[in-house]
Amino acid sequence: MSESNIHRHLISKTAQSIQHRWPEARLTLDISQAPGDEVPFLINDHRPDIIGQHLDPALPFLIAEIKTSFDINKSHTCSQINAFLQYLNDRTISNGVFIFAVEGTVAPKAQHFLYWACHSSLAPHVEIMLFDGLDFWTLNYSGERTWRLC
């Protein structure tokens, strides 16, 4: 469940940007407005902030985790990333996208953290993205690993 108003705002902003990028995705957010509202399902004992599913299996399965500037380097964050990437790696029926969303001021720190958190656990059908509140950045794995604006 969302811990703070800042976190809830980041979830909403990220969801709007994901919906704009993948308009056919059905998003489920970890922001309950009322008892009984649908929330993302647990993945390896962790609940992502956003899950995006498509009816067309050719389109990617999306998992987004949103962090405030205080939560980026925590061991729990690493555990979540590993759990979500493992789930996407194991899904062979469709491509997967993992989105790590942060406040723009900590985007460089988050890029570095994400690079090292997932550098050894990627399948070719999984894309890693960072959302800084304005833009999506993709971790490029062809040749030297670098971030590129997409």
Side-chain angles (χ1 to χ4, degrees), residues 9-69:
H9 173 74
L10 289 170
I11 291 173
S12 295
K13 187 173 186 175
T14 302
Q16 289 172 350
S17 296
I18 290 171
Q19 199 71 76
H20 184 265
R21 188 173 185 89
W22 291 280
E24 60 286 320
R26 181 183 165 274
L27 301 183
T28 306
L29 283 59
D30 191 16
I31 301 177
S32 294
Q33 300 297 327
D37 282 355
E38 184 179 9
V39 294
F41 56 87
L42 288 175
I43 296 174
N44 298 326
D45 296 326
H46 296 287
R47 187 177 315 282
D49 290 311
I50 301 171
I51 287 182
Q53 301 180 62
H54 293 92
L55 293 177
D56 182 352
L59 296 172
F61 185 90
L62 309 163
I63 297 175
E65 185 59 30
I66 290 78
K67 292 296 176 189
T68 64
S69 59

